[in-house]
C-alpha cells in the first residue's frame, strides 16, 4: 500500500486530520477549489468595512473624517496584501488567514475611533463589533486552528475595549458578553463545519482518484494480457493482427513502407515430443528472447503467431537490410546451441527458418498479401533444407 493509500485509509477513521502524506495535495486542492472563494470573501469584507464609514458618520460624527481616512488607507494596504498573497506567493494558509488578520487590525482601528468619540451612541454602536467575528469565522476554508487563534484575538480585543469604554464596569461588559458569546460559538461552529466539509470533500476526491487509478491499472493489465502471449511474454497473434493493420493504414497515409519476417523453429514437433513440453516451452521462451534481443530499440516488434511460429514487424524498407537482419537473427538462434538430437537432418541443434518480405514486393496489395508472401517464402526456405532465410528479392514499388 502506497503512502497516499495508507493516508486515505487512516483518514476514513477521522476526516478531521489530513495525513502528512496528503498535506501537499490537500493544499493544492484548497487553492484549486476554494481559492476564488477566499479571494472573493476578502473583497466582500473590505467592501463591508468601507461601507461602515456611513454608520460612523451617523453615530460617531465627530470621527467621520478620521474614519474615512482610516478606512481608505487600510483598504489600500489590504489590496496590496491581497495581491501579494493571492497572485505572488499563493500560500494556502496566508490565503485562508488574510481576511481574519485584516479583521483583527480593523477591530483595533475601529475601537480606537470609538474610544476617541464623544458621541452618546457609542455604547449602542459597540454592538456592531459582532460583525468582525462573523466575517472572520465564516470565510475560513483551510485552518481551524488559525481561525481559533484569530477568533480569540478578536474576542479579546472586543471585550477589553468594552471594558475600557465602560470604565471597568462589569455589568455592561457582562450584558455585551451574553449577546456576543452565542454569535462567537455559532460562527465558530459554522467555520468548523465548512473546514471539515472541505476536508471530507478532499478525502472523497482522493478516494475516487485512487479508484480511478486502480481501474486504469486493471484495464491496462487486462489490455496487456489480451495482447500478450502468456508463455513468452511477447505480443500474441491478436496484437500482431492489430499492429499489421495499423502499420498498413499508416503506410497508406504517409507512404512509408515496412517489412515482415515470419520465423518458424525447425523440427519443433520431434523436439517437443522427445524432450517434453516443459523443455519445449523453455525453448520457445529462449527463442523469443533471442529474437527480441536481436532488434535495435524502435526497429520492430516481435509476436508469437502460434505454436513455434514468430512474426517480426519491422520499420525497414530496404531489402538488403532486411536480409541482413534476418540472417543475423537466424545465426543468433543457432548460436544458442540448444541441443536437438532428434531432428532428421542430423544437425543436432535447434535452428529457425525465415521468410522475409517488404510491402514494396510485387503482388502485395493488402496487409494479408504481405503475410501470405512471407508464409510462402518460409515454406520455400523449409523446402530448401531449413535453417535459412528466403526473401522476396524480385520486388517493385506499389503504384
Amino acid at each position: 500500500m502506497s503512502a497516499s493509500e495508507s493516508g486515505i485509509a487512516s483518514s476514513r477513521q477521522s476526516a478531521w486530520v489530513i495525513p502528512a502524506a496528503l498535506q501537499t495535495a490537500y493544499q493544492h486542492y484548497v487553492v484549486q477549489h476554494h481559492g476564488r472563494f477566499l479571494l472573493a470573501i476578502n473583497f466582500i469584507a473590505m467592501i463591508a468595512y468601507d461601507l461602515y464609514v456611513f454608520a460612523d458618520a451617523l453615530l460617531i460624527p465627530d470621527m467621520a473624517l478620521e474614519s474615512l481616512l482610516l478606512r481608505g488607507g487600510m483598504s489600500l494596504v489590504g489590496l496590496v496584501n491581497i495581491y501579494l498573497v493571492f497572485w505572488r506567493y499563493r500560500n494556502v494558509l496566508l490565503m485562508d488567514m488574510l481576511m481574519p488578520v485584516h479583521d483583527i487590525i480593523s477591530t483595533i482601528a475601529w475601537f480606537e475611533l470609538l474610544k476617541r468619540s464623544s458621541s452618546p451612541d457609542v455604547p449602542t454602536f459597540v454592538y456592531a463589533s459582532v460583525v468582525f467575528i462573523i466575517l472572520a469565522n465564516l470565510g475560513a476554508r483551510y485552518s481551524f486552528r488559525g481561525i481559533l487563534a484569530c477568533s480569540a484575538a478578536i474576542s479579546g480585543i472586543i471585550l477589553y475595549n468594552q471594558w475600557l469604554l465602560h470604565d471597568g464596569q462589569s455589568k455592561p461588559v457582562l450584558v455585551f458578553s451574553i449577546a456576543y458569546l452565542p454569535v462567537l460559538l455559532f460562527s465558530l461552529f459554522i467555520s468548523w463545519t465548512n473546514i471539515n466539509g472541505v476536508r471530507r470533500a478532499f478525502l472523497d476526491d482522493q478516494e475516487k482518484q485512487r479508484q480511478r487509478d486502480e481501474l486504469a491499472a486493471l484495464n491496462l493489465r487486462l489490455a496487456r494480457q489480451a495482447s500478450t502471449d502468456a508463455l513468452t511474454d511477447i505480443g500474441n497473434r491478436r496484437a500482431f493482427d492489430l499492429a499489421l493493420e495499423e502499420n498498413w493504414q499508416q503506410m497508406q497515409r504517409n507512404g512509408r513502407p515496412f517489412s515482415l519476417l515470419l520465423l518458424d523453429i525447425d523440427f519443433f514437433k520431434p523436439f517437443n515430443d522427445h524432450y517434453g513440453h516443459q523443455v519445449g516451452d523453455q525453448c520457445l521462451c529462449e527463442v523469443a528472447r533471442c529474437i527480441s534481443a536481436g532488434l535495435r530499440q524502435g526497429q520492430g516488434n516481435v509476436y508469437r503467431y502460434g505454436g513455434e511460429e514468430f512474426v517480426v514487424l519491422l520499420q525497414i524498407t530496404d531489402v538488403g537490410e532486411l536480409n541482413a537482419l534476418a540472417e543475423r537473427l537466424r545465426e543468433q538462434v543457432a548460436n544458442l546451441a540448444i541441443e536437438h538430437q532428434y531432428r532428421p537432418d542430423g544437425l543436432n541443434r535447434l535452428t529457425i527458418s525465415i521468410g522475409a518480405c517488404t510491402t514494396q514486393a510485387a503482388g502485395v496489395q493488402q496487409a494479408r498479401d504481405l503475410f501470405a508472401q512471407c508464409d510462402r517464402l518460409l515454406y520455400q526456405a523449409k523446402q530448401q533444407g531449413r535453417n535459412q532465410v528466403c526473401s522476396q528479392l524480385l520486388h517493385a514499388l506499389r503504384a
Side-chain angles (χ1 to χ4, degrees):
M1 183 180 290
S2 67
S4 61
E5 289 175 346
S6 62
I8 294 171
S10 64
S11 66
R12 289 171 184 162
Q13 299 176 359
S14 174
W16 181 240
V17 178
I18 300 295
L22 297 178
Q23 279 295 333
T24 300
Y26 176 53
Q27 292 170 5
H28 288 315
Y29 177 87
V30 175
V31 172
Q32 180 181 0
H33 292 85
H34 299 277
R36 291 184 178 180
F37 169 82
L38 294 174
L39 176 62
I41 203 69
N42 272 272
F43 282 115
I44 292 171
M46 183 181 296
I47 292 171
Y49 181 69
D50 288 339
L51 288 177
Y52 256 70
V53 72
F54 297 109
D56 289 347
L58 180 63
L59 297 174
I60 49 173
D62 51 342
M63 292 289 112
L65 180 59
E66 292 186 34
S67 172
L68 179 62
L69 295 174
L70 178 65
R71 294 177 189 278
M74 292 185 65
S75 294
L76 289 176
V77 173
L79 289 173
V80 172
N81 290 337
I82 289 173
Y83 166 76
L84 292 175
V85 169
F86 283 87
W87 280 278
R88 191 72 177 271
Y89 300 111
R90 293 189 64 80
N91 179 279
V92 65
L93 183 60
L94 292 178
M95 290 180 180
D96 197 50
M97 291 294 104
L98 182 61
M99 193 267 287
V101 170
H102 280 167
D103 248 12
I104 294 173
I105 299 171
S106 300
T107 305
I108 295 172
W110 187 63
F111 270 104
E112 288 302 313
L113 292 176
L114 292 183
K115 287 187 292 186
R116 294 172 59 186
S117 175
S118 58
S119 171
D121 294 320
V122 168
T124 304
F125 195 24
V126 78
Y127 279 85
S129 60
V130 296
V131 172
F132 293 111
I133 198 66
I134 293 173
L135 284 174
N137 287 339
L138 298 189
R141 288 297 183 272
Y142 174 72
S143 174
F144 188 68
R145 290 181 180 179
I147 204 61
L148 274 177
C150 290
S151 294
I154 293 171
S155 299
I157 293 167
I158 290 174
L159 295 175
Y160 174 69
N161 281 282
Q162 273 279 13
W163 183 77
L164 291 179
L165 286 169
H166 291 92
D167 297 323
Q169 298 179 39
S170 59
K171 185 176 180 179
V173 176
L174 179 61
V175 172
F176 176 84
S177 300
I178 293 172
Y180 177 78
L181 186 60
V183 176
L184 170 64
L185 295 177
F186 179 75
S187 61
L188 280 174
F189 174 74
I190 296 298
S191 179
W192 180 87
T193 302
N194 289 336
I195 293 172
N196 199 33
V198 172
R199 296 186 180 201
R200 288 185 180 276
F202 165 73
L203 294 172
D204 288 344
D205 183 73
Q206 290 289 299
E207 176 63 17
K208 290 176 182 178
Q209 184 60 50
R210 185 188 64 81
Q211 293 175 357
R212 287 193 293 268
D213 290 344
E214 285 185 353
L215 181 60
L218 177 61
N219 289 335
L220 186 62
R221 286 197 301 271
L222 291 175
R224 189 175 184 278
Q225 290 174 0
S227 60
T228 302
D229 179 63
L231 175 63
T232 60
D233 202 34
I234 60 176
N236 58 16
R237 180 169 177 172
R238 177 178 180 274
F240 166 70
D241 290 340
L242 293 174
L244 178 62
E245 186 61 33
E246 182 180 349
N247 275 260
W248 187 268
Q249 296 297 330
Q250 288 180 353
M251 184 190 71
Q252 290 185 321
R253 289 194 298 269
N254 57 35
R256 181 177 175 81
F258 60 96
S259 302
L260 197 66
L261 299 179
L262 184 58
L263 308 88
D264 185 78
I265 298 177
D266 297 326
F267 301 110
F268 184 73
K269 186 178 186 306
F271 179 94
N272 212 33
D273 291 343
H274 287 89
Y275 291 103
H277 293 291
Q278 186 173 1
V279 176
D281 288 347
Q282 292 175 355
C283 170
L284 290 171
C285 292
E286 286 190 52
V287 171
R289 284 193 294 267
C290 181
I291 296 171
S292 299
L295 302 177
R296 295 192 305 270
Q297 186 174 5
Q299 189 176 30
N301 295 301
V302 184
Y303 306 88
R304 185 183 179 195
Y305 190 75
E308 66 273 21
E309 283 188 317
F310 298 89
V311 186
V312 183
L313 198 59
L314 296 160
Q315 300 305 315
I316 292 178
T317 59
D318 182 74
V319 176
E321 183 182 356
L322 180 64
N323 285 341
L325 174 62
E327 283 290 349
R328 187 171 75 248
L329 294 178
R330 182 192 64 77
E331 291 176 1
Q332 288 176 350
V333 172
N335 290 337
L336 289 174
I338 299 174
E339 180 183 312
H340 190 351
Q341 298 289 341
Y342 300 96
R343 56 186 296 162
D345 59 0
L347 193 57
N348 296 333
R349 63 176 176 174
L350 191 113
T351 60
I352 59 173
S353 299
I354 302 175
C357 188
T358 72
T359 53
Q360 296 170 301
V364 178
Q365 301 297 323
Q366 300 181 55
R368 64 172 176 266
D369 297 333
L370 178 63
F371 184 84
Q373 288 275 32
C374 284
D375 189 49
R376 183 180 63 80
L377 292 166
L378 174 62
Y379 179 78
Q380 184 176 338
K382 288 184 172 292
Q383 289 294 106
Q384 294 175 355
R386 292 179 170 81
N387 188 29
Q388 60 183 277
V389 174
C390 191
S391 63
Q392 181 72 36
L393 296 177
L394 298 175
H395 63 279
L397 292 173
R398 294 191 304 110

